[in-house]
Amino acid sequence: TGVQTCALPIFEVLAAVARRTGNAVIVTDRGGSIEWVNEGFYRLTGYSLAEVVGRRPGAFLQGEDTSRETIAEMAASVTAGRPFDVVVLNYTKSHGQYWVRIEADPTLDATGAVNGYIAIETDVSEQRIAMGREEATQRVGDGLLTCASIEDAARVVATALTSTLDVRAAQVWLVEPGNPTLRYLLGRCADGAGEDWLAAGR
């Protein structure tokens, strides 16, 4: 990443580039408000250009599960006029979650001062989910080696699900050979929002 400069009007350049990329492209002013987005942005988020001009991306793309640390990192970079490269959990117009890699670089005016940002956003949801599954599988495998009981094993599985795969709540039930009745072992919540779900599911 680095500072971008161009002799042609930036929107003319971006319009040409946007026709050839499947990624989302966002142009903001110095304060972080959107000036332009391409069709890739609409396909990824569900928001059209008319709906987002003048708005800050974080105001409608970020949600309750978006990392506060990553939000702070992006804000600090914009304040300082630095490029940034992060992976963050965002939300579509229909409130669906997706993971996106944002590569953002400042743009300069004729005097060399930062006057905005160009950000390229790549949907990395499938890769992120695959990584989470691998990590959860590894945690479960390592944890089960030290389990002394079925209850301990259930605790390992539930904890791995809620801490690694962004699952808010998990329940573990036991099926015993020759016994047609399920036996509830335990439940785990990643946050308080899953408590009602656990209570209703028992």
Side-chain angles (χ1 to χ4, degrees):
T1 59
V3 174
Q4 306 294 309
T5 59
C6 184
L8 296 174
I10 189 65
F11 293 114
E12 291 183 16
V13 176
L14 286 172
V17 172
R19 288 194 293 269
R20 296 172 174 81
T21 181
N23 293 335
V25 179
I26 303 174
V27 178
T28 73
D29 61 20
R30 182 65 181 86
S33 296
I34 294 174
E35 295 185 326
W36 184 85
V37 297
N38 70 340
E39 282 296 313
F41 180 87
Y42 170 74
R43 290 192 295 269
L44 179 62
T45 69
Y47 289 99
S48 68
L49 173 61
E51 292 176 294
V52 301
V53 167
R55 301 173 67 184
R56 295 174 64 88
F60 59 94
L61 294 178
Q62 296 162 3
E64 60 182 345
D65 291 329
T66 304
S67 167
R68 301 298 106 180
E69 291 79 8
T70 304
I71 292 174
E73 178 183 348
M74 291 188 288
S77 296
V78 171
T79 299
R82 299 190 306 261
F84 60 87
D85 186 340
V86 300
V87 174
V88 67
L89 179 68
N90 276 353
Y91 290 77
T92 66
K93 184 178 179 179
S94 60
H95 306 295
Q97 293 183 341
Y98 66 96
W99 287 94
V100 65
R101 179 183 180 186
I102 304 174
E103 300 171 88
D105 294 295
T107 57
L108 304 180
D109 62 19
T111 68
V114 174
N115 66 352
Y117 271 81
I118 300 176
I120 308 297
E121 299 193 352
T122 306
D123 187 353
V124 294
S125 299
E126 291 187 6
Q127 299 94 310
R128 187 77 180 197
I129 291 171
M131 289 174 58
R133 286 174 177 167
E134 290 180 8
E135 184 179 348
T137 299
Q138 184 65 47
R139 286 191 182 186
V140 169
D142 292 344
L144 291 178
L145 293 175
T146 61
C147 290
S149 66
I150 292 295
E151 286 73 15
D152 287 345
R155 189 171 295 105
V156 166
V157 172
T159 300
L161 289 173
T162 54
S163 65
T164 308
L165 292 183
D166 294 319
V167 174
R168 284 193 168 182
Q171 291 180 328
V172 180
W173 297 72
L174 176 65
V175 179
E176 297 176 302
N179 186 351
T181 304
L182 288 173
R183 180 160 66 91
Y184 178 82
L185 293 180
L186 58 86
R188 281 287 184 271
C189 291
D191 56 50
E195 294 289 351
D196 290 341
W197 183 89
L198 283 181
R202 289 190 62 177

